[in-house]
């Protein structure tokens, strides 16, 4: 049986800290699946901040594109997986400068993810940004990103057992 938790919130709201707390409380072995790629020193420092906070015995898998296959390989009834985060996973696919793989597409990866997510066993904690609470951004790629992120969050929330919104470090249970 699966237990899927979606954690939503804005940037620096405390989403990852909350996800890590839930993972610790699961009393299961934890694998942290990082979807980010390092593009500059500032982002490298952000990633290091996350690494420094996590327990050293947690496994780390870095996968910016083929998330569904990674989950399929790792999901098990006696495991807890944290995916941090769906927002960066999406960005890696739709940003033309991020060199998305030629062997697939965002739409195909998204569809496979949403189809297979409910079939994975174990505890899966998904972190994602809520990017639709501000103004409509300027620029086509920015609007496409905001729209795709909103659609992805809605679809994942539909299949998730638990959905929590984080604001100022405080969890608000939505589902």
């Amino acid at each position: 049986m699966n237990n899927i938790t979606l954690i939503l919130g804005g940037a620096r709201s405390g989403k990852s800290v909350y996800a890590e707390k839930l993972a610790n409380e699961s009393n299961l072995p934890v694998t942290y699946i990082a979807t980010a790629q390092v593009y500059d020193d500032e982002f490298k420092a952000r990633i290091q901040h996350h690494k420094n906070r996590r327990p050293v015995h947690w496994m780390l898998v870095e996968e910016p594109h083929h998330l569904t296959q990674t989950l399929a390989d790792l999901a098990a009834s006696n495991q807890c997986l944290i995916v941090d985060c769906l927002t960066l996973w999406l960005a890696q696919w739709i940003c033309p400068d991020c060199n998305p793989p030629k062997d697939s597409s965002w739409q195909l990866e998204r569809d496979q993810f949403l189809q297979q997510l409910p079939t994975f066993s174990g505890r899966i904690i998904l972190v994602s940004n809520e990017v639709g609470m501000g103004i409509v951004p300027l620029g086509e790629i920015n609007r496409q990103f905001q729209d795709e992120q909103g659609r992805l969050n809605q679809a994942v929330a539909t299949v998730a057992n638990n959905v929590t919104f984080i604001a100022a470090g405080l969890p608000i249970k939505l589902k």
Side-chain angles (χ1 to χ4, degrees), residues 19-39:
E20 292 161 10
K21 176 182 176 284
L22 294 179
N24 269 327
E25 291 172 355
S26 76
N27 294 316
L28 295 169
V30 177
T31 300
Y32 189 99
I33 303 169
T35 60
Q37 295 185 78
V38 178
Y39 291 104

Side-chain angles (χ1 to χ4, degrees), residues 48-92:
Q48 190 61 49
H49 174 75
H50 280 251
K51 285 181 178 180
N52 293 343
R53 193 177 57 223
R54 292 192 302 263
V56 295
H57 63 276
W58 284 8
M59 297 282 295
L60 171 65
V61 174
E62 296 176 342
E63 179 49 63
H65 295 104
H66 300 293
L67 178 58
T68 307
Q69 185 58 55
T70 300
L71 288 170
D73 293 342
L74 298 172
S77 61
N78 62 344
Q79 294 290 312
C80 178
L81 307 177
I82 296 177
V83 176
D84 199 356
C85 72
L86 297 179
T87 309
L88 291 171
W89 177 54
L90 165 63
Q92 306 301 324

Side-chain angles (χ1 to χ4, degrees), residues 16-165:
S16 297
V17 170
Y18 186 71
E20 292 161 10
K21 176 182 176 284
L22 294 179
N24 269 327
E25 291 172 355
S26 76
N27 294 316
L28 295 169
V30 177
T31 300
Y32 189 99
I33 303 169
T35 60
Q37 295 185 78
V38 178
Y39 291 104
D40 57 42
D41 288 339
E42 183 274 334
F43 201 70
K44 183 177 182 178
R46 281 177 174 256
I47 291 171
Q48 190 61 49
H49 174 75
H50 280 251
K51 285 181 178 180
N52 293 343
R53 193 177 57 223
R54 292 192 302 263
V56 295
H57 63 276
W58 284 8
M59 297 282 295
L60 171 65
V61 174
E62 296 176 342
E63 179 49 63
H65 295 104
H66 300 293
L67 178 58
T68 307
Q69 185 58 55
T70 300
L71 288 170
D73 293 342
L74 298 172
S77 61
N78 62 344
Q79 294 290 312
C80 178
L81 307 177
I82 296 177
V83 176
D84 199 356
C85 72
L86 297 179
T87 309
L88 291 171
W89 177 54
L90 165 63
Q92 306 301 324
W93 275 104
I94 69 169
C95 170
D97 296 334
C98 296
N99 299 315
K102 305 280 188 249
D103 64 343
S104 191
S105 68
W106 164 245
Q107 198 60 51
L108 179 61
E109 290 294 322
R110 177 191 181 279
D111 291 349
Q112 287 176 345
F113 175 75
L114 293 172
Q115 180 181 34
Q116 293 182 35
L117 180 62
T119 70
F120 298 138
S121 60
R123 180 83 196 263
I124 301 174
I125 302 169
L126 305 164
V127 176
S128 191
N129 285 42
E130 178 54 64
V131 298
M133 297 179 77
I135 62 170
V136 175
L138 296 176
E140 182 180 352
I141 189 72
N142 298 326
R143 287 188 301 276
Q144 178 191 5
F145 175 78
Q146 187 180 53
D147 291 349
E148 288 295 328
Q149 186 65 62
R151 289 183 194 110
L152 178 62
N153 287 346
Q154 289 181 55
V156 172
T158 299
V159 299
N161 306 90
N162 305 290
V163 180
T164 301
F165 184 81

